[in-house]
Amino acid sequence: MATTPTESQPGDQTVAGGARSGRLSDGEQVWAARYEQLKAHGYLLRPRYRPGWVPAWDPNGWNVREEDAILPGTDNLDAERLIDGQIVFLKPVLKTSPEIEIGCLLTSEDIRKDPQNHAIPLLDVIDDPVVPNTVILVLPLLRAIDSPPPSSVGECIDLVNQTLE
């Protein structure tokens, strides 16, 4: 069945002033403004946020399925760590957030060795060059809790036990 401009298809993104128009949304512009400092710290954002970005598709086209047309949430973003190619999760938080101190504590060498510590390690803390009084937490990018789905009852019990520890 042929699609018309009003029909949505899986993978399509329709955001006013965003992917379809070939312009970055307001939230994306904040990430684009952070690009150079994050790169200097060793993190590379998606092509869409790089200086001089031009969309890889015809802005008048209906089916937008290029990588740089995929719009993640703009509060947090993924990036590539240049030193080893690991995909990381970037999360801006206020400098006063207890999440920073807690993350640093749970990532400290002694506590990290504890087999009951299932905390996500804090890889880096970067001063935000765009938003005042904010830092960007760098965390490993994790999978959804059900991806892949558990293959046995034992895996489900293990998940619950680790969650309750």
Side-chain angles (χ1 to χ4, degrees):
M1 176 173 150
T3 60
T4 63
T6 58
E7 291 181 57
S8 175
Q9 297 295 310
D12 286 357
Q13 299 291 327
T14 306
V15 176
R20 289 250 176 143
S21 69
R23 294 187 335 251
L24 298 176
S25 69
D26 291 345
E28 290 179 298
Q29 288 177 24
V30 174
W31 283 108
R34 294 171 172 145
Y35 178 85
E36 292 298 337
Q37 182 169 356
L38 288 171
K39 185 176 178 186
H41 275 86
Y43 301 99
L44 192 60
L45 299 180
R46 294 169 174 255
R48 161 172 203 89
Y49 303 105
R50 296 177 187 166
W53 170 76
V54 176
W57 70 89
D58 175 4
N60 297 319
W62 304 122
N63 292 318
V64 178
R65 289 188 170 87
E66 303 294 333
E67 185 279 334
D68 60 349
I70 298 170
L71 295 177
T74 54
D75 291 339
N76 305 310
L77 196 65
D78 60 341
E80 177 184 353
R81 187 165 62 179
L82 294 173
I83 194 167
D84 60 5
Q86 179 181 355
I87 303 300
V88 296
F89 180 74
L90 305 176
K91 179 180 180 181
V93 297
L94 291 175
K95 287 183 178 181
T96 57
S97 171
E99 191 170 353
I100 302 164
E101 185 177 349
I102 293 168
C104 289
L105 174 68
L106 293 174
T107 305
S108 67
E109 190 172 330
D110 291 340
I111 294 176
R112 190 77 204 130
K113 291 178 183 176
D114 185 338
Q116 292 184 321
N117 178 6
H118 301 292
I120 300 168
L122 182 58
L123 303 175
D124 203 351
V125 179
I126 302 169
D127 281 323
D128 191 327
V130 177
V131 181
N133 300 315
T134 302
V135 295
I136 299 171
L137 303 182
V138 181
L139 307 155
L141 184 65
L142 304 177
R143 302 181 96 154
I145 196 165
D146 61 349
S147 172
S151 60
S152 68
V153 173
E155 285 184 5
C156 293
I157 292 171
D158 191 37
L159 169 68
V160 171
N161 286 335
Q162 289 181 31
T163 303
L164 295 175
E165 278 183 356

